[in-house]
PDB file of all heavy atoms in Angstrom:
ATOM      1  N   LEU A1166     200.126 267.898 182.521  1.00 96.00           N
ATOM      2  CA  LEU A1166     199.350 268.776 183.416  1.00 96.00           C
ATOM      3  C   LEU A1166     200.190 269.749 184.182  1.00 96.00           C
ATOM      4  O   LEU A1166     199.630 270.551 184.976  1.00 96.00           O
ATOM      5  CB  LEU A1166     198.543 267.862 184.473  1.00 96.00           C
ATOM      6  CG  LEU A1166     197.488 266.938 183.898  1.00 96.00           C
ATOM      7  CD1 LEU A1166     197.019 265.963 184.909  1.00 96.00           C
ATOM      8  CD2 LEU A1166     196.322 267.735 183.377  1.00 96.00           C
ATOM      9  N   HIS A1167     201.504 269.685 183.995  1.00 96.00           N
ATOM     10  CA  HIS A1167     202.434 270.560 184.695  1.00 96.00           C
ATOM     11  C   HIS A1167     202.367 270.428 186.231  1.00 96.00           C
ATOM     12  O   HIS A1167     202.411 271.407 186.917  1.00 96.00           O
ATOM     13  CB  HIS A1167     202.261 272.000 184.292  1.00 96.00           C
ATOM     14  CG  HIS A1167     202.365 272.224 182.817  1.00 96.00           C
ATOM     15  ND1 HIS A1167     203.541 272.165 182.153  1.00 96.00           N
ATOM     16  CD2 HIS A1167     201.383 272.499 181.921  1.00 96.00           C
ATOM     17  CE1 HIS A1167     203.325 272.415 180.848  1.00 96.00           C
ATOM     18  NE2 HIS A1167     201.996 272.539 180.681  1.00 96.00           N
ATOM     19  N   LEU A1168     202.237 269.167 186.668  1.00 95.00           N
ATOM     20  CA  LEU A1168     202.143 268.838 188.087  1.00 95.00           C
ATOM     21  C   LEU A1168     203.502 268.290 188.538  1.00 95.00           C
ATOM     22  O   LEU A1168     204.024 267.359 187.871  1.00 95.00           O
ATOM     23  CB  LEU A1168     201.044 267.809 188.379  1.00 95.00           C
ATOM     24  CG  LEU A1168     199.640 268.290 188.132  1.00 95.00           C
ATOM     25  CD1 LEU A1168     198.659 267.117 188.326  1.00 95.00           C
ATOM     26  CD2 LEU A1168     199.313 269.495 189.061  1.00 95.00           C
ATOM     27  N   ASP A1169     204.040 268.882 189.606  1.00 95.00           N
ATOM     28  CA  ASP A1169     205.344 268.333 190.215  1.00 95.00           C
ATOM     29  C   ASP A1169     205.039 267.106 190.999  1.00 95.00           C
ATOM     30  O   ASP A1169     203.922 266.935 191.483  1.00 95.00           O
ATOM     31  CB  ASP A1169     205.902 269.408 191.014  1.00 95.00           C
ATOM     32  CG  ASP A1169     206.401 270.622 190.298  1.00 95.00           C
ATOM     33  OD1 ASP A1169     206.824 270.457 189.109  1.00 95.00           O
ATOM     34  OD2 ASP A1169     206.361 271.709 190.839  1.00 95.00           O
ATOM     35  N   TYR A1170     206.004 266.252 191.094  1.00 97.00           N
ATOM     36  CA  TYR A1170     205.845 264.994 191.905  1.00 97.00           C
ATOM     37  C   TYR A1170     207.279 264.621 192.403  1.00 97.00           C
ATOM     38  O   TYR A1170     208.279 265.025 191.910  1.00 97.00           O
ATOM     39  CB  TYR A1170     205.219 263.861 191.133  1.00 97.00           C
ATOM     40  CG  TYR A1170     206.040 263.473 189.918  1.00 97.00           C
ATOM     41  CD1 TYR A1170     206.988 262.443 189.990  1.00 97.00           C
ATOM     42  CD2 TYR A1170     205.825 264.057 188.634  1.00 97.00           C
ATOM     43  CE1 TYR A1170     207.747 262.078 188.847  1.00 97.00           C
ATOM     44  CE2 TYR A1170     206.520 263.712 187.545  1.00 97.00           C
ATOM     45  CZ  TYR A1170     207.450 262.677 187.632  1.00 97.00           C
ATOM     46  OH  TYR A1170     208.187 262.282 186.568  1.00 97.00           O
ATOM     47  N   THR A1171     207.262 263.865 193.499  1.00 96.00           N
ATOM     48  CA  THR A1171     208.470 263.301 194.075  1.00 96.00           C
ATOM     49  C   THR A1171     208.271 261.839 194.301  1.00 96.00           C
ATOM     50  O   THR A1171     207.157 261.441 194.621  1.00 96.00           O
ATOM     51  CB  THR A1171     208.878 263.956 195.337  1.00 96.00           C
ATOM     52  OG1 THR A1171     207.833 263.895 196.283  1.00 96.00           O
ATOM     53  CG2 THR A1171     209.207 265.457 195.121  1.00 96.00           C
ATOM     54  N   LEU A1172     209.336 261.084 194.271  1.00 96.00           N
ATOM     55  CA  LEU A1172     209.323 259.685 194.600  1.00 96.00           C
ATOM     56  C   LEU A1172     209.408 259.592 196.166  1.00 96.00           C
ATOM     57  O   LEU A1172     210.474 260.136 196.654  1.00 96.00           O
ATOM     58  CB  LEU A1172     210.530 258.951 193.988  1.00 96.00           C
ATOM     59  CG  LEU A1172     210.597 257.470 194.198  1.00 96.00           C
ATOM     60  CD1 LEU A1172     209.442 256.738 193.670  1.00 96.00           C
ATOM     61  CD2 LEU A1172     211.882 256.937 193.583  1.00 96.00           C
ATOM     62  N   SER A1173     208.421 259.116 196.791  1.00 94.00           N
ATOM     63  CA  SER A1173     208.387 259.124 198.285  1.00 94.00           C
ATOM     64  C   SER A1173     208.628 257.767 198.872  1.00 94.00           C
ATOM     65  O   SER A1173     208.694 257.677 200.074  1.00 94.00           O
ATOM     66  CB  SER A1173     206.983 259.641 198.697  1.00 94.00           C
ATOM     67  OG  SER A1173     206.825 260.978 198.306  1.00 94.00           O
ATOM     68  N   GLY A1174     208.699 256.784 198.091  1.00 95.00           N
ATOM     69  CA  GLY A1174     208.951 255.447 198.509  1.00 95.00           C
ATOM     70  C   GLY A1174     209.298 254.524 197.333  1.00 95.00           C
ATOM     71  O   GLY A1174     208.659 254.652 196.338  1.00 95.00           O
ATOM     72  N   ASP A1175     210.326 253.650 197.490  1.00 96.00           N
ATOM     73  CA  ASP A1175     210.744 252.784 196.406  1.00 96.00           C
ATOM     74  C   ASP A1175     211.442 251.573 197.079  1.00 96.00           C
ATOM     75  O   ASP A1175     212.603 251.792 197.485  1.00 96.00           O
ATOM     76  CB  ASP A1175     211.553 253.563 195.435  1.00 96.00           C
ATOM     77  CG  ASP A1175     211.858 252.783 194.161  1.00 96.00           C
ATOM     78  OD1 ASP A1175     211.787 251.479 194.222  1.00 96.00           O
ATOM     79  OD2 ASP A1175     212.144 253.309 193.119  1.00 96.00           O
ATOM     80  N   LEU A1176     210.809 250.512 197.078  1.00 94.00           N
ATOM     81  CA  LEU A1176     211.488 249.282 197.659  1.00 94.00           C
ATOM     82  C   LEU A1176     212.746 248.917 196.925  1.00 94.00           C
ATOM     83  O   LEU A1176     213.700 248.342 197.537  1.00 94.00           O
ATOM     84  CB  LEU A1176     210.527 248.098 197.724  1.00 94.00           C
ATOM     85  CG  LEU A1176     209.284 248.308 198.634  1.00 94.00           C
ATOM     86  CD1 LEU A1176     208.424 247.052 198.589  1.00 94.00           C
ATOM     87  CD2 LEU A1176     209.688 248.707 200.016  1.00 94.00           C
ATOM     88  N   THR A1177     212.812 249.162 195.659  1.00 91.00           N
ATOM     89  CA  THR A1177     214.031 248.767 194.889  1.00 91.00           C
ATOM     90  C   THR A1177     215.234 249.669 195.241  1.00 91.00           C
ATOM     91  O   THR A1177     216.390 249.326 194.973  1.00 91.00           O
ATOM     92  CB  THR A1177     213.824 248.852 193.374  1.00 91.00           C
ATOM     93  OG1 THR A1177     213.569 250.222 192.980  1.00 91.00           O
ATOM     94  CG2 THR A1177     212.622 247.989 192.919  1.00 91.00           C
ATOM     95  N   LYS A1178     214.977 250.811 195.897  1.00 93.00           N
ATOM     96  CA  LYS A1178     216.059 251.681 196.361  1.00 93.00           C
ATOM     97  C   LYS A1178     216.141 251.747 197.868  1.00 93.00           C
ATOM     98  O   LYS A1178     216.866 252.577 198.439  1.00 93.00           O
ATOM     99  CB  LYS A1178     215.788 253.107 195.821  1.00 93.00           C
ATOM    100  CG  LYS A1178     215.821 253.171 194.310  1.00 93.00           C
ATOM    101  CD  LYS A1178     215.468 254.532 193.831  1.00 93.00           C
ATOM    102  CE  LYS A1178     215.594 254.604 192.314  1.00 93.00           C
ATOM    103  NZ  LYS A1178     215.332 255.905 191.733  1.00 93.00           N
ATOM    104  N   GLY A1179     215.401 250.865 198.558  1.00 93.00           N
ATOM    105  CA  GLY A1179     215.486 250.748 200.001  1.00 93.00           C
ATOM    106  C   GLY A1179     214.720 251.861 200.706  1.00 93.00           C
ATOM    107  O   GLY A1179     214.888 252.125 201.900  1.00 93.00           O
ATOM    108  N   LEU A1180     213.819 252.535 199.970  1.00 93.00           N
ATOM    109  CA  LEU A1180     212.980 253.600 200.559  1.00 93.00           C
ATOM    110  C   LEU A1180     211.667 253.033 201.034  1.00 93.00           C
ATOM    111  O   LEU A1180     210.922 252.544 200.190  1.00 93.00           O
ATOM    112  CB  LEU A1180     212.788 254.734 199.597  1.00 93.00           C
ATOM    113  CG  LEU A1180     214.005 255.464 199.070  1.00 93.00           C
ATOM    114  CD1 LEU A1180     213.610 256.411 197.947  1.00 93.00           C
ATOM    115  CD2 LEU A1180     214.691 256.159 200.184  1.00 93.00           C
ATOM    116  N   GLU A1181     211.303 253.092 202.281  1.00 94.00           N
ATOM    117  CA  GLU A1181     210.055 252.592 202.776  1.00 94.00           C
ATOM    118  C   GLU A1181     208.840 253.257 202.118  1.00 94.00           C
ATOM    119  O   GLU A1181     208.920 254.466 201.822  1.00 94.00           O
ATOM    120  CB  GLU A1181     209.991 252.808 204.311  1.00 94.00           C
ATOM    121  CG  GLU A1181     208.808 252.165 204.917  1.00 94.00           C
ATOM    122  CD  GLU A1181     208.823 252.332 206.465  1.00 94.00           C
ATOM    123  OE1 GLU A1181     209.936 252.471 207.021  1.00 94.00           O
ATOM    124  OE2 GLU A1181     207.722 252.296 207.010  1.00 94.00           O
ATOM    125  N   ILE A1182     207.802 252.502 201.903  1.00 93.00           N
ATOM    126  CA  ILE A1182     206.607 253.011 201.319  1.00 93.00           C
ATOM    127  C   ILE A1182     205.566 253.287 202.388  1.00 93.00           C
ATOM    128  O   ILE A1182     205.200 252.279 203.109  1.00 93.00           O
ATOM    129  CB  ILE A1182     206.046 252.057 200.230  1.00 93.00           C
ATOM    130  CG1 ILE A1182     207.067 251.955 199.075  1.00 93.00           C
ATOM    131  CG2 ILE A1182     204.710 252.560 199.745  1.00 93.00           C
ATOM    132  CD1 ILE A1182     206.761 250.898 198.101  1.00 93.00           C
ATOM    133  N   PRO A1183     205.039 254.476 202.539  1.00 88.00           N
ATOM    134  CA  PRO A1183     204.003 254.715 203.558  1.00 88.00           C
ATOM    135  C   PRO A1183     202.767 253.892 203.168  1.00 88.00           C
ATOM    136  O   PRO A1183     202.484 253.680 201.980  1.00 88.00           O
ATOM    137  CB  PRO A1183     203.714 256.203 203.437  1.00 88.00           C
ATOM    138  CG  PRO A1183     204.946 256.773 202.752  1.00 88.00           C
ATOM    139  CD  PRO A1183     205.493 255.722 201.846  1.00 88.00           C
ATOM    140  N   LYS A1184     201.996 253.524 204.171  1.00 88.00           N
ATOM    141  CA  LYS A1184     200.801 252.733 203.927  1.00 88.00           C
ATOM    142  C   LYS A1184     199.712 253.728 203.403  1.00 88.00           C
ATOM    143  O   LYS A1184     199.671 254.881 203.798  1.00 88.00           O
ATOM    144  CB  LYS A1184     200.316 252.149 205.247  1.00 88.00           C
ATOM    145  CG  LYS A1184     201.173 251.044 205.811  1.00 88.00           C
ATOM    146  CD  LYS A1184     200.545 250.482 207.041  1.00 88.00           C
ATOM    147  CE  LYS A1184     201.540 249.465 207.613  1.00 88.00           C
ATOM    148  NZ  LYS A1184     201.018 248.849 208.811  1.00 88.00           N
ATOM    149  N   PRO A1185     198.872 253.140 202.519  1.00 90.00           N
ATOM    150  CA  PRO A1185     197.695 254.021 202.097  1.00 90.00           C
ATOM    151  C   PRO A1185     196.867 254.356 203.338  1.00 90.00           C
ATOM    152  O   PRO A1185     196.691 253.573 204.283  1.00 90.00           O
ATOM    153  CB  PRO A1185     196.908 253.026 201.143  1.00 90.00           C
ATOM    154  CG  PRO A1185     197.889 252.005 200.780  1.00 90.00           C
ATOM    155  CD  PRO A1185     198.868 251.870 201.910  1.00 90.00           C
ATOM    156  N   ARG A1186     196.266 255.556 203.299  1.00 87.00           N
ATOM    157  CA  ARG A1186     195.552 256.083 204.392  1.00 87.00           C
ATOM    158  C   ARG A1186     194.000 255.831 204.282  1.00 87.00           C
ATOM    159  O   ARG A1186     193.310 255.683 205.301  1.00 87.00           O
ATOM    160  CB  ARG A1186     195.781 257.563 204.554  1.00 87.00           C
ATOM    161  CG  ARG A1186     197.117 257.983 204.935  1.00 87.00           C
ATOM    162  CD  ARG A1186     197.259 259.442 204.985  1.00 87.00           C
ATOM    163  NE  ARG A1186     198.677 259.799 205.072  1.00 87.00           N
ATOM    164  CZ  ARG A1186     199.145 261.009 204.803  1.00 87.00           C
ATOM    165  NH1 ARG A1186     198.367 261.969 204.405  1.00 87.00           N
ATOM    166  NH2 ARG A1186     200.363 261.283 204.889  1.00 87.00           N
ATOM    167  N   LEU A1187     193.543 255.794 203.085  1.00 87.00           N
ATOM    168  CA  LEU A1187     192.098 255.794 202.839  1.00 87.00           C
ATOM    169  C   LEU A1187     191.470 254.383 202.447  1.00 87.00           C
ATOM    170  O   LEU A1187     190.339 254.328 202.330  1.00 87.00           O
ATOM    171  CB  LEU A1187     191.730 256.844 201.825  1.00 87.00           C
ATOM    172  CG  LEU A1187     192.207 258.295 202.085  1.00 87.00           C
ATOM    173  CD1 LEU A1187     191.762 259.161 200.947  1.00 87.00           C
ATOM    174  CD2 LEU A1187     191.615 258.686 203.416  1.00 87.00           C
ATOM    175  N   SER A1188     192.370 253.452 202.248  1.00 86.00           N
ATOM    176  CA  SER A1188     191.830 252.152 201.880  1.00 86.00           C
ATOM    177  C   SER A1188     192.752 250.999 202.421  1.00 86.00           C
ATOM    178  O   SER A1188     193.952 251.188 202.461  1.00 86.00           O
ATOM    179  CB  SER A1188     191.779 251.982 200.371  1.00 86.00           C
ATOM    180  OG  SER A1188     191.293 250.675 199.995  1.00 86.00           O
ATOM    181  N   ASN A1189     192.051 249.939 202.857  1.00 83.00           N
ATOM    182  CA  ASN A1189     192.910 248.786 203.258  1.00 83.00           C
ATOM    183  C   ASN A1189     192.751 247.663 202.237  1.00 83.00           C
ATOM    184  O   ASN A1189     193.124 246.527 202.561  1.00 83.00           O
ATOM    185  CB  ASN A1189     192.387 248.278 204.652  1.00 83.00           C
ATOM    186  CG  ASN A1189     190.919 247.858 204.637  1.00 83.00           C
ATOM    187  OD1 ASN A1189     190.265 247.950 203.590  1.00 83.00           O
ATOM    188  ND2 ASN A1189     190.358 247.525 205.788  1.00 83.00           N
ATOM    189  N   ARG A1190     192.298 248.011 201.041  1.00 83.00           N
ATOM    190  CA  ARG A1190     192.137 246.982 199.977  1.00 83.00           C
ATOM    191  C   ARG A1190     193.427 246.836 199.134  1.00 83.00           C
ATOM    192  O   ARG A1190     193.494 246.044 198.248  1.00 83.00           O
ATOM    193  CB  ARG A1190     190.984 247.339 199.084  1.00 83.00           C
ATOM    194  CG  ARG A1190     189.695 247.193 199.841  1.00 83.00           C
ATOM    195  CD  ARG A1190     188.436 247.696 199.110  1.00 83.00           C
ATOM    196  NE  ARG A1190     188.466 247.447 197.670  1.00 83.00           N
ATOM    197  CZ  ARG A1190     187.575 248.028 196.871  1.00 83.00           C
ATOM    198  NH1 ARG A1190     186.634 248.763 197.324  1.00 83.00           N
ATOM    199  NH2 ARG A1190     187.690 247.793 195.607  1.00 83.00           N
ATOM    200  N   ILE A1191     194.427 247.628 199.436  1.00 83.00           N
ATOM    201  CA  ILE A1191     195.692 247.621 198.782  1.00 83.00           C
ATOM    202  C   ILE A1191     196.709 246.654 199.525  1.00 83.00           C
ATOM    203  O   ILE A1191     196.916 246.890 200.703  1.00 83.00           O
ATOM    204  CB  ILE A1191     196.399 248.981 198.537  1.00 83.00           C
ATOM    205  CG1 ILE A1191     195.398 249.941 197.818  1.00 83.00           C
ATOM    206  CG2 ILE A1191     197.706 248.924 197.895  1.00 83.00           C
ATOM    207  CD1 ILE A1191     195.045 249.478 196.430  1.00 83.00           C
ATOM    208  N   LYS A1192     197.188 245.619 198.817  1.00 81.00           N
ATOM    209  CA  LYS A1192     198.092 244.723 199.502  1.00 81.00           C
ATOM    210  C   LYS A1192     199.500 245.309 199.529  1.00 81.00           C
ATOM    211  O   LYS A1192     200.080 245.602 198.441  1.00 81.00           O
ATOM    212  CB  LYS A1192     198.137 243.329 198.795  1.00 81.00           C
ATOM    213  CG  LYS A1192     196.810 242.619 198.898  1.00 81.00           C
ATOM    214  CD  LYS A1192     196.808 241.318 198.129  1.00 81.00           C
ATOM    215  CE  LYS A1192     195.539 240.672 198.148  1.00 81.00           C
ATOM    216  NZ  LYS A1192     195.528 239.451 197.274  1.00 81.00           N
ATOM    217  N   GLU A1193     200.030 245.494 200.692  1.00 76.00           N
ATOM    218  CA  GLU A1193     201.337 246.166 200.900  1.00 76.00           C
ATOM    219  C   GLU A1193     202.425 245.457 200.056  1.00 76.00           C
ATOM    220  O   GLU A1193     203.279 246.080 199.479  1.00 76.00           O
ATOM    221  CB  GLU A1193     201.763 246.167 202.359  1.00 76.00           C
ATOM    222  CG  GLU A1193     201.026 247.189 203.129  1.00 76.00           C
ATOM    223  CD  GLU A1193     201.439 247.246 204.590  1.00 76.00           C
ATOM    224  OE1 GLU A1193     202.678 247.277 204.843  1.00 76.00           O
ATOM    225  OE2 GLU A1193     200.624 247.153 205.436  1.00 76.00           O
ATOM    226  N   GLY A1194     202.410 244.084 200.030  1.00 83.00           N
ATOM    227  CA  GLY A1194     203.413 243.298 199.332  1.00 83.00           C
ATOM    228  C   GLY A1194     203.385 243.550 197.828  1.00 83.00           C
ATOM    229  O   GLY A1194     204.329 243.191 197.141  1.00 83.00           O
ATOM    230  N   ASP A1195     202.317 244.044 197.296  1.00 91.00           N
ATOM    231  CA  ASP A1195     202.180 244.270 195.892  1.00 91.00           C
ATOM    232  C   ASP A1195     202.769 245.606 195.401  1.00 91.00           C
ATOM    233  O   ASP A1195     202.996 245.865 194.252  1.00 91.00           O
ATOM    234  CB  ASP A1195     200.706 244.170 195.400  1.00 91.00           C
ATOM    235  CG  ASP A1195     200.151 242.802 195.486  1.00 91.00           C
ATOM    236  OD1 ASP A1195     200.938 241.843 195.680  1.00 91.00           O
ATOM    237  OD2 ASP A1195     198.921 242.644 195.544  1.00 91.00           O
ATOM    238  N   ILE A1196     202.888 246.533 196.344  1.00 95.00           N
ATOM    239  CA  ILE A1196     203.326 247.925 196.034  1.00 95.00           C
ATOM    240  C   ILE A1196     204.804 248.026 196.069  1.00 95.00           C
ATOM    241  O   ILE A1196     205.461 247.584 197.074  1.00 95.00           O
ATOM    242  CB  ILE A1196     202.670 248.908 196.941  1.00 95.00           C
ATOM    243  CG1 ILE A1196     201.170 248.793 196.850  1.00 95.00           C
ATOM    244  CG2 ILE A1196     203.134 250.357 196.663  1.00 95.00           C
ATOM    245  CD1 ILE A1196     200.544 249.097 195.510  1.00 95.00           C
ATOM    246  N   VAL A1197     205.423 248.632 195.062  1.00 96.00           N
ATOM    247  CA  VAL A1197     206.913 248.813 195.043  1.00 96.00           C
ATOM    248  C   VAL A1197     207.336 250.253 195.060  1.00 96.00           C
ATOM    249  O   VAL A1197     208.477 250.565 195.378  1.00 96.00           O
ATOM    250  CB  VAL A1197     207.554 248.082 193.829  1.00 96.00           C
ATOM    251  CG1 VAL A1197     207.357 246.598 193.991  1.00 96.00           C
ATOM    252  CG2 VAL A1197     207.014 248.527 192.508  1.00 96.00           C
ATOM    253  N   ARG A1198     206.460 251.173 194.612  1.00 96.00           N
ATOM    254  CA  ARG A1198     206.793 252.595 194.617  1.00 96.00           C
ATOM    255  C   ARG A1198     205.565 253.428 194.958  1.00 96.00           C
ATOM    256  O   ARG A1198     204.428 253.053 194.760  1.00 96.00           O
ATOM    257  CB  ARG A1198     207.211 253.005 193.207  1.00 96.00           C
ATOM    258  CG  ARG A1198     208.711 253.039 193.000  1.00 96.00           C
ATOM    259  CD  ARG A1198     209.106 253.508 191.589  1.00 96.00           C
ATOM    260  NE  ARG A1198     208.552 252.744 190.502  1.00 96.00           N
ATOM    261  CZ  ARG A1198     208.886 251.461 190.263  1.00 96.00           C
ATOM    262  NH1 ARG A1198     209.789 250.789 190.940  1.00 96.00           N
ATOM    263  NH2 ARG A1198     208.300 250.847 189.163  1.00 96.00           N
ATOM    264  N   MET A1199     205.887 254.633 195.521  1.00 97.00           N
ATOM    265  CA  MET A1199     204.824 255.642 195.857  1.00 97.00           C
ATOM    266  C   MET A1199     205.321 257.023 195.552  1.00 97.00           C
ATOM    267  O   MET A1199     206.489 257.326 195.879  1.00 97.00           O
ATOM    268  CB  MET A1199     204.416 255.495 197.326  1.00 97.00           C
ATOM    269  CG  MET A1199     203.167 256.221 197.660  1.00 97.00           C
ATOM    270  SD  MET A1199     203.273 257.937 198.042  1.00 97.00           S
ATOM    271  CE  MET A1199     204.053 257.966 199.598  1.00 97.00           C
ATOM    272  N   TYR A1200     204.549 257.797 194.791  1.00 97.00           N
ATOM    273  CA  TYR A1200     204.888 259.130 194.461  1.00 97.00           C
ATOM    274  C   TYR A1200     203.989 260.082 195.211  1.00 97.00           C
ATOM    275  O   TYR A1200     202.764 259.720 195.476  1.00 97.00           O
ATOM    276  CB  TYR A1200     204.625 259.393 192.965  1.00 97.00           C
ATOM    277  CG  TYR A1200     205.520 258.618 192.025  1.00 97.00           C
ATOM    278  CD1 TYR A1200     205.250 257.437 191.527  1.00 97.00           C
ATOM    279  CD2 TYR A1200     206.806 259.186 191.671  1.00 97.00           C
ATOM    280  CE1 TYR A1200     206.064 256.738 190.679  1.00 97.00           C
ATOM    281  CE2 TYR A1200     207.668 258.530 190.803  1.00 97.00           C
ATOM    282  CZ  TYR A1200     207.230 257.296 190.284  1.00 97.00           C
ATOM    283  OH  TYR A1200     208.102 256.589 189.420  1.00 97.00           O
ATOM    284  N   GLN A1201     204.379 261.260 195.458  1.00 95.00           N
ATOM    285  CA  GLN A1201     203.570 262.352 195.971  1.00 95.00           C
ATOM    286  C   GLN A1201     203.459 263.331 194.812  1.00 95.00           C
ATOM    287  O   GLN A1201     204.462 263.781 194.315  1.00 95.00           O
ATOM    288  CB  GLN A1201     204.093 263.022 197.201  1.00 95.00           C
ATOM    289  CG  GLN A1201     203.841 262.250 198.465  1.00 95.00           C
ATOM    290  CD  GLN A1201     203.810 263.130 199.683  1.00 95.00           C
ATOM    291  OE1 GLN A1201     203.268 262.666 200.663  1.00 95.00           O
ATOM    292  NE2 GLN A1201     204.439 264.269 199.759  1.00 95.00           N
ATOM    293  N   VAL A1202     202.227 263.671 194.471  1.00 96.00           N
ATOM    294  CA  VAL A1202     201.966 264.598 193.411  1.00 96.00           C
ATOM    295  C   VAL A1202     201.413 265.907 193.987  1.00 96.00           C
ATOM    296  O   VAL A1202     200.531 265.872 194.854  1.00 96.00           O
ATOM    297  CB  VAL A1202     200.914 264.051 192.445  1.00 96.00           C
ATOM    298  CG1 VAL A1202     200.543 265.051 191.295  1.00 96.00           C
ATOM    299  CG2 VAL A1202     201.388 262.783 191.807  1.00 96.00           C
ATOM    300  N   TYR A1203     202.022 267.048 193.630  1.00 93.00           N
ATOM    301  CA  TYR A1203     201.684 268.304 194.195  1.00 93.00           C
ATOM    302  C   TYR A1203     200.749 269.095 193.227  1.00 93.00           C
ATOM    303  O   TYR A1203     201.200 269.544 192.212  1.00 93.00           O
ATOM    304  CB  TYR A1203     202.928 269.082 194.503  1.00 93.00           C
ATOM    305  CG  TYR A1203     203.862 268.289 195.384  1.00 93.00           C
ATOM    306  CD1 TYR A1203     204.910 267.567 194.863  1.00 93.00           C
ATOM    307  CD2 TYR A1203     203.644 268.243 196.716  1.00 93.00           C
ATOM    308  CE1 TYR A1203     205.710 266.808 195.648  1.00 93.00           C
ATOM    309  CE2 TYR A1203     204.398 267.519 197.542  1.00 93.00           C
ATOM    310  CZ  TYR A1203     205.518 266.760 196.990  1.00 93.00           C
ATOM    311  OH  TYR A1203     206.302 266.007 197.752  1.00 93.00           O
ATOM    312  N   GLY A1204     199.483 269.254 193.670  1.00 89.00           N
ATOM    313  CA  GLY A1204     198.542 269.977 192.862  1.00 89.00           C
ATOM    314  C   GLY A1204     198.589 271.474 193.277  1.00 89.00           C
ATOM    315  O   GLY A1204     199.526 271.919 193.895  1.00 89.00           O
ATOM    316  N   GLY A1205     197.532 272.113 193.007  1.00 78.00           N
ATOM    317  CA  GLY A1205     197.385 273.553 193.315  1.00 78.00           C
ATOM    318  C   GLY A1205     197.253 273.879 194.751  1.00 78.00           C
ATOM    319  O   GLY A1205     197.000 273.020 195.666  1.00 78.00           O
ATOM    320  N   VAL A1206     197.349 275.154 195.100  1.00 76.00           N
ATOM    321  CA  VAL A1206     197.141 275.641 196.470  1.00 76.00           C
ATOM    322  C   VAL A1206     195.859 276.415 196.507  1.00 76.00           C
ATOM    323  O   VAL A1206     195.636 277.291 195.642  1.00 76.00           O
ATOM    324  CB  VAL A1206     198.332 276.463 196.936  1.00 76.00           C
ATOM    325  CG1 VAL A1206     198.071 277.121 198.351  1.00 76.00           C
ATOM    326  CG2 VAL A1206     199.646 275.629 196.950  1.00 76.00           C
TER     327      VAL A1206
END
């Protein structure tokens, strides 16, 4: 899709993972990585 992204959190690299903003159904302990994907402007 030619979308840029960055790794914004990774527990295996000691990078804190921001909490999801729109749902509380995701268990924090289950998440190990978070990416930010940059779409159009």
Side-chain angles (χ1 to χ4, degrees):
L1166 294 170
H1167 304 288
L1168 294 174
D1169 292 327
Y1170 61 91
T1171 58
L1172 183 63
S1173 296
D1175 188 334
L1176 295 182
T1177 66
K1178 296 179 180 181
L1180 301 172
E1181 185 177 334
I1182 297 172
K1184 292 181 182 181
R1186 296 179 190 158
L1187 303 180
S1188 177
N1189 60 4
R1190 293 174 34 192
I1191 302 299
K1192 295 179 184 174
E1193 287 182 51
D1195 291 345
I1196 302 300
V1197 295
R1198 262 182 303 291
M1199 195 273 289
Y1200 294 93
Q1201 282 204 156
V1202 177
Y1203 304 97
V1206 174

